[in-house]
């Protein structure tokens, strides 16, 4: 189903962080941006679709007007808002927002309580809903930033305090449809999932218990929550009701990353067991059922996988990062 392409070299290796790969596609089959975190540096690579041309940029952790900082970066992610795209870096000391190419830092937000090194695995996550950029921190708080269509007048508009454990991941509704009430899900170190509806005031719609098992990666697609856990399991929940539609023993070890191709319903999972698997989700609204089918798996030998993302909305290609690897491994459909 997929075959391996030429790898993309990085300036430095990947840290062992959940979801340590972010992908932004610029135009159909033209340019793809990748980011991978290493300590206090973000490796950013822009690659042509054919893999022949690359450009590299490294962004360092900063603190306000200080040029560089030694504080660890815990995640780098693109927020694709209706009117603009931002690259958001979350570190032990604060949150940095850049223009999508990493050229200009447009906003800095200092955290009241700096993140500790023990929060490096579970503590920070970023996603977007409508015109909001949302970042979760190790205190369990969700910080909601209102982002204008241009300029640097970004404001902290709301703090959501439902979680009591460090945030691990956030997922926004990726189908692009406006028919689903829930448009944000947050996950924490205890496995608790909170389902939200965005707006001028964010509304908590549901809380799905995690039974004290860390949820390390979560996605929201067509009203269905896909959650990956430290047990190696994937669970599919109905976001509004919390009904469990499926539970799969997907991996032998800790899941580090999930992703969904919104146009096709392909689900990508990657874990410490060196396996990357592709699944297909099928929704049947008439019977309110969800089916999951295993489609493909790839063993990345001797690699502790820490990031995996589809490179397009159809799932035609995906990319993988591994702890201490100085490359991004790419696969495309045969």
């Amino acid at each position: 189903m997929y075959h391996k392409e030429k790898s993309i070299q990085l300036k430095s290796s990947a840290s062992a962080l959940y979801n340590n790969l972010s992908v932004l596609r610029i135009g159909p089959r033209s340019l793809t941006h990748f980011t991978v975190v290493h300590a206090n540096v973000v490796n950013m690579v822009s690659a042509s679709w054919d893999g022949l041309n690359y450009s590299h940029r490294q962004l360092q952790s900063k603190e306000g007007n200080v040029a560089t900082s030694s504080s660890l970066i815990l995640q780098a992610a693109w927020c694709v808002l209706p009117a603009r795209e931002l690259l958001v870096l979350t570190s032990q000391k604060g949150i940095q927002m850049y223009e999508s190419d990493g050229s200009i830092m447009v906003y800095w937000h200092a955290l009241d309580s700096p993140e500790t090194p023990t929060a490096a695995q579970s503590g920070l996550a970023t996603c977007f809903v409508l015109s909001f950029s949302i970042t979760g921190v190790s205190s369990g708080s969700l910080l909601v930033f209102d982002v204008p269509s241009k300029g640097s007048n970004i404001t902290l508009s709301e703090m959501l305090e439902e979680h009591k454990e460090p945030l691990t991941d956030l997922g926004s509704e990726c189908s692009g449809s406006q028919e689903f009430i829930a448009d944000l899900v947050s996950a924490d170190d205890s496995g608790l999932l909170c389902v939200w509806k965005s707006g001028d005031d964010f509304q908590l719609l549901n809380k799905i218990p995690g039974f004290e098992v860390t949820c390390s990666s979560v996605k929201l697609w067509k009203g269905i929550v896909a959650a990956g856990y430290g047990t190696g399991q994937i669970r599919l929940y109905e976001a509004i009701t919390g009904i469990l539609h499926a539970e799969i023993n997907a991996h032998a070890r800790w899941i580090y990353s999930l992703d969904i191709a919104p146009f096709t319903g392909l689900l990508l999972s990657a874990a410490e067991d060196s396996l990357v698997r592709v699944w297909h989700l099928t929704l049947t609204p008439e019977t309110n059922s969800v089916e999951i089918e295993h489609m493909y798996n790839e063993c990345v030998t001797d690699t502790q996988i820490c990031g995996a993302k589809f490179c397009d909305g159809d799932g035609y290609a995906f990319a993988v990062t591994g702890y201490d690897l100085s490359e991004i491994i790419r696969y495309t459909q045969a």
Side-chain angles (χ1 to χ4, degrees), residues 124-127 129 134-137 140-144 160-173 182-197 202-210 214-220 225-229 237 239:
L124 289 168
T126 296
C127 78
V129 177
I134 303 102
T135 297
V137 296
S141 299
L142 284 171
L143 280 60
V144 180
L160 309 174
E161 304 282 2
E162 283 297 325
H163 290 276
K164 307 306 178 188
E165 299 293 331
L167 270 294
T168 51
D169 198 21
L170 305 173
S172 56
E173 174 59 59
D183 52 15
L184 175 69
V185 60
S186 53
D188 71 21
D189 219 16
S190 72
L192 175 67
L193 303 174
C194 289
V195 180
W196 306 86
K197 175 178 173 56
F202 277 58
Q203 179 185 353
L204 178 67
L205 300 177
N206 193 17
K207 295 174 77 169
I208 302 172
T214 297
C215 176
S216 48
S217 192
V218 67
K219 290 290 175 279
L220 180 60
V225 175
Y229 294 87
Y237 292 99

Side-chain angles (χ1 to χ4, degrees), residues 23-63:
V23 176
L24 175 66
R25 191 66 175 278
I26 306 297
R29 298 206 170 196
S30 56
L31 194 65
T32 307
H33 294 323
F34 301 89
T35 59
V36 179
V37 174
H38 170 81
N40 67 332
V41 172
V42 173
N43 295 289
M44 183 175 174
V45 183
S46 300
S48 60
W49 176 257
D50 56 16
L52 298 177
N53 299 300
Y54 306 103
S55 63
H56 293 264
R57 182 191 296 270
Q58 285 190 314
L59 302 176
Q60 282 201 302
S61 179
K62 295 182 179 181
E63 298 175 37

Side-chain angles (χ1 to χ4, degrees), residues 232-279:
Q233 291 181 322
I234 297 173
R235 296 178 194 156
L236 302 178
Y237 292 99
E238 188 171 324
I240 298 297
T241 64
I243 292 172
L244 178 64
H245 285 286
E247 184 177 62
I248 309 101
N249 295 318
H251 292 272
R253 298 189 68 182
W254 204 288
I255 290 176
Y256 261 58
S257 188
L258 294 181
D259 197 24
I260 289 182
F263 303 150
T264 57
L266 293 178
L267 171 67
L268 184 69
S269 65
E272 283 185 333
D273 59 6
S274 302
L275 288 175
V276 183
R277 299 189 188 275
V278 178
W279 315 79

Side-chain angles (χ1 to χ4, degrees), residues 81 127-134 144-147 157 199-200 202:
L81 302 165
C127 78
F128 64 94
V129 177
L130 301 178
S131 62
F132 300 102
S133 172
I134 303 102
V144 180
F145 296 94
D146 194 353
V147 181
S157 63
D200 291 337
F202 277 58

Side-chain angles (χ1 to χ4, degrees), residues 81 83-86 97-99 104-107 146-155:
L81 302 165
R84 70 192 297 188
E85 296 155 348
L86 293 176
M97 298 188 188
Y98 289 82
E99 296 294 355
I104 301 171
M105 187 170 80
V106 296
Y107 183 72
D146 194 353
V147 181
S149 58
K150 59 182 180 180
S152 58
N153 189 27
I154 297 168
T155 56

